[in-house]
Amino acid sequence: MNYLELINKCLVELNYKQVNEFSELIKNEHKKLKNIINVLNSEICGMDKWNFLQRKTTLTIPANAGEVENTINGRIEAVIIDGQKYEYYQNYEEFFTNSQPSGTYCFYDDKILFQIFNTDKNAEVLYYTKNCAKNVSGQEKLMLENDDDCSLIPEPFSEPLLVYGACMRLKGNPQHVRFSYWLSMYKDALANLRSRISATADEVPTVNMKRR
């Protein structure tokens, strides 16, 4: 479901008139709705380690450099060099004296710091993209902008999450006649996303209860 279709779904839920063209979305309520959908889409994408946001790239670490520009468009999950997984280490000062623990990396001034290697190295980086949308050609982007843009949240979860969540936030009044329904549908959709998005049956959500 694209951006315009999501907005029209919201308008139906809100008992507002639907639009035929994206250019017709000029009223204040339209502008608020467009913004809310984007904020909500971004929040949902950022609230968990979703497998639909997993990406992989390779960085080349020049010999005797010990650093590369941080071009990773998202949150790094793992860095692998020569088959070894490198762990994040917070104390960046030690990297400038090459006294950091072996097999670690760090961030400083938009750069990723490593130990100094004698030869060029390739670092395989697994990460979660910060992009939340894509255009009609499949090119990823930060937010929904055009009528045919789509959320990276997969169907059929994106529709109930963004439509019911947006309606709930636009009205923002628990006393609204449909607020409880929107909230219930949003929570169900989020629970379904968490329980069904995994690619393996071995990876299922669990609830841990602790005794005091």
Side-chain angles (χ1 to χ4, degrees), residues 66 89-102 104-108 113-116:
Y89 185 67
Q90 191 171 7
N91 192 345
Y92 60 83
E93 293 179 355
E94 295 183 19
F95 285 81
F96 290 99
T97 58
N98 208 31
S99 59
Q100 77 282 356
S102 177
T104 60
Y105 71 95
C106 189
F107 300 105
Y108 180 80
L113 308 182
F114 297 94
Q115 68 189 69
I116 296 177

Side-chain angles (χ1 to χ4, degrees), residues 54-62 68-73 75-88 103-105 107 112 114 117 120-128:
Q54 291 175 336
R55 303 291 183 269
K56 181 173 69 171
T57 191
T58 300
L59 297 177
T60 298
I61 308 169
V68 294
E69 291 292 330
N70 183 10
T71 57
I72 305 302
N73 186 39
R75 299 170 291 162
I76 292 179
E77 172 70 11
V79 175
I80 302 170
I81 303 174
D82 292 337
Q84 176 187 352
K85 180 179 178 181
Y86 276 53
E87 302 294 336
Y88 174 71
T104 60
Y105 71 95
F107 300 105
I112 307 178
F114 297 94
F117 298 103
D120 291 353
K121 293 288 184 179
N122 287 329
E124 188 175 54
V125 182
L126 311 180
Y127 68 100
Y128 294 90

Side-chain angles (χ1 to χ4, degrees), residues 1-6 37-38 40-45 50 52-53 55 131-136 138-155 157-159 161-163 193:
M1 179 165 285
N2 63 38
Y3 194 21
L4 180 58
E5 290 170 336
L6 285 171
I37 290 175
N38 263 306
L40 190 60
N41 187 47
S42 178
E43 286 181 0
I44 294 171
C45 286
W50 305 116
F52 56 84
L53 298 178
R55 303 291 183 269
N131 288 325
C132 304
K134 60 183 177 181
N135 63 23
V136 70
Q139 183 177 0
E140 294 183 1
K141 55 199 305 187
L142 191 60
M143 59 187 293
L144 298 159
E145 297 172 303
N146 305 314
D147 59 346
D148 52 5
D149 288 345
C150 293
S151 170
L152 289 185
I153 302 171
E155 293 282 3
F157 309 105
S158 59
E159 179 185 344
L161 283 170
L162 298 179
V163 171
L193 176 63

